[in-house]
Amino acid sequence: MGDASTIYALSSGAGRAGVAVIRVSGPAAHASLVQMVKSPPLPRYGAFRTIRHPRTHEIIDGAVVLWFEARSSETGEDVVEFQVHGSRAVITAMFAALKEIDGCRLAEPGEFARRAFENGKLDLAQVEGLADLIDAETESQRRQAVAQTAGALSKLYESWRSRLIEIAGLVEAAIDFSDEGDVAASAVSDARQRASVLSDEIARHLDDGHRGEILREGFRVALLGAPNAGKSSLLNALARRDAAIVSAEAGTTRDVIEVRLDLGGLPVIVSDTAGIREAASDIEREGIRRSLAVAREADLVVWLSETCDSNIPQGISRETSLAICSKADLARESNGSDLRVSALTGEGLDRLIGEISRRAHTAVGASSEPALTRVRHRQNLEAALESIRAFLGGNVEAVELRAEDVRRASHALGRITGRVDVEDVLDQIFSRFCIGK
Ligand SMILES: Nc1nc2c(ncn2[C@@H]2O[C@H](COP(=O)(O)OP(=O)(O)O)[C@@H](O)[C@H]2O)c(=O)[nH]1
Ligand SMILES: [Mg+2]
């Protein structure tokens, strides 16, 4: 937990840029400003200042500086921002200068966010939303992440937790009034009724077809088909760039290659795969095994064949697959409803993209309710639901045990926002951030 050091890092992207933002957070943050500029501006006001090395007083740069007092900062500590010119030399000189300030050190990845969490500025679900916001590539990902950062999911899970705390109160009352039979009985029945409503709500939230997770991670499409069916060429045509190896030699694509597309704001990941056939070599067999694994995990399998067959391999759901005819330019009989695509001429590509997009939008849905976004949340919600069901299904005479069920459920929900002990997951969550966040 909290250490007394002051941390600094480059918070803007690496590499040459017009402006680079260097943030400093901690008890010595204000001291760094005092020692490096002549007169610090008022808190929360930006001002242009000449920045000097704290010991040699050599000029480093002229920059906009601003600072925030702990109570109004993002980390809950004093924070200073230097908006210097974005060259490697200026950044290096700034780091050398900050190193001279007592108690200052370079930040670890995610350390600013971690301090915000430890100082109660953000809960854990919000921190995860922030990580997603930084990683967001499409409009719908941005929308979901910004809502989560603002606390949409936290509010939902915390409201469920507070209802569980009320239920726990009723169960405690039943224990306290166990000699007054009817008081105890009515408290238990009230608790059971509330728990039943809550368990339905949680179950419905869990049973959402993974829409939030699909949105966060991308709708996965696997291109599958025999060698030479035209999968790699189609992937290239979709990506409008040479992302995969195209070759007339059968069995060239042994590794799985992906391109990420933005289809109407939805992230879609298309994977090229090795051709499916009786494999000639061990390496190729491994490629085929991987292809089938990718296809089974995919949200949609596009099966390509030159002859318009639909011999989609066993174990792949028909519901989530789409058979198309490839190389449509090599004019062959069209059998009506088939989607005919040519990577060479571009024929049918827009229709295929439209169909993928339609399926992705269906999978994600248009609900305005906040969606479950992470496996970590899902696991805790499942644990909570299981304990609520144990409460509902358990022997009511054993009230102490039922109270324990409710406590376990509320503990599981508390772990999502980090209200209860979560030490074990913190390193994992924060280390995924970049330095400077
Ligand atoms: N005429 C025509 N040839 C294609 C088309 N798509 C792929 N090809 C050719 O078919 C061969 C195999 O293509 P490739 O994309 O490597 O197939 P993959 O093994 O399924 O990945 C190559 O010679 C491609 O140039 C197409 O739409 N029309
Ligand atoms: Mg290929």
Side-chain angles (χ1 to χ4, degrees), residues 141-192:
Q141 286 179 317
R142 180 193 65 73
R143 251 188 249 131
Q144 174 164 281
V146 88
Q148 186 172 330
T149 310
L153 274 185
S154 311
K155 228 166 89 188
L156 180 65
Y157 299 151
E158 280 300 309
S159 78
W160 286 343
R161 196 168 74 100
S162 56
R163 282 159 65 185
L164 276 167
I165 291 166
E166 285 166 24
I167 293 168
L170 289 167
V171 179
E172 294 300 331
I175 296 172
D176 292 346
F177 293 96
S178 53
D179 11 342
E180 295 175 45
D182 43 339
V183 178
S186 102
V188 168
S189 108
D190 191 5
R192 287 175 57 84

Side-chain angles (χ1 to χ4, degrees), residues 160 164 195 198-203 206 377-394 401-402 404-413:
W160 286 343
L164 276 167
L198 183 57
S199 91
D200 287 348
E201 278 178 49
I202 297 177
L206 278 166
H377 303 178
R378 185 171 285 280
Q379 286 166 343
N380 284 308
L381 287 164
E382 278 165 352
L385 186 59
E386 192 183 319
S387 296
I388 297 172
R389 286 181 173 157
F391 169 73
L392 287 167
L401 290 181
R402 300 295 74 81
E404 184 54 31
D405 291 334
V406 178
R407 258 195 301 277
R408 261 209 301 275
S410 113
H411 189 85
L413 286 180

Side-chain angles (χ1 to χ4, degrees), residues 6-212:
T6 295
I7 53 173
Y8 60 88
L10 177 66
S11 286
S12 51
R16 189 167 158 264
V19 176
V21 177
I22 291 166
R23 289 205 301 172
V24 188
S25 176
H30 190 251
S32 74
L33 193 59
V34 169
Q35 291 178 51
M36 290 167 68
V37 307
K38 219 173 214 164
S39 63
L42 290 172
R44 292 184 290 124
Y45 282 84
F48 186 84
R49 293 288 185 268
T50 299
I51 300 176
R52 291 173 184 273
H53 189 281
R55 195 166 34 76
T56 67
H57 305 293
E58 192 195 340
I59 293 177
I60 297 172
D61 194 4
V64 170
V65 298
L66 62 164
W67 73 283
F68 304 86
E69 291 161 298
R71 64 186 149 83
S72 57
S73 84
E74 195 181 340
T75 59
E77 303 177 323
D78 285 352
V79 169
V80 170
E81 255 187 52
F82 296 95
Q83 303 186 355
V84 296
H85 291 101
S87 71
R88 193 176 306 190
V90 171
I91 293 163
T92 305
M94 284 297 295
F95 280 9
L98 285 164
K99 210 172 132 203
E100 299 282 327
I101 311 286
D102 267 350
C104 277
R105 65 165 171 83
L106 208 57
E108 309 277 343
E111 207 172 359
F112 289 88
R114 185 163 189 152
R115 289 185 175 199
F117 169 70
E118 281 167 359
N119 291 320
K121 291 280 177 172
L122 293 174
D123 69 38
L124 219 44
Q126 289 178 300
V127 165
E128 288 166 323
L130 185 59
D132 290 348
L133 188 56
I134 293 169
D135 289 335
E137 289 181 333
T138 73
E139 179 61 10
S140 55
Q141 286 179 317
R142 180 193 65 73
R143 251 188 249 131
Q144 174 164 281
V146 88
Q148 186 172 330
T149 310
L153 274 185
S154 311
K155 228 166 89 188
L156 180 65
Y157 299 151
E158 280 300 309
S159 78
W160 286 343
R161 196 168 74 100
S162 56
R163 282 159 65 185
L164 276 167
I165 291 166
E166 285 166 24
I167 293 168
L170 289 167
V171 179
E172 294 300 331
I175 296 172
D176 292 346
F177 293 96
S178 53
D179 11 342
E180 295 175 45
D182 43 339
V183 178
S186 102
V188 168
S189 108
D190 191 5
R192 287 175 57 84
Q193 209 212 323
R194 291 176 187 223
S196 158
V197 173
L198 183 57
S199 91
D200 287 348
E201 278 178 49
I202 297 177
R204 212 172 327 118
H205 182 72
L206 278 166
D207 183 25
D208 70 344
H210 296 260
R211 68 184 172 94

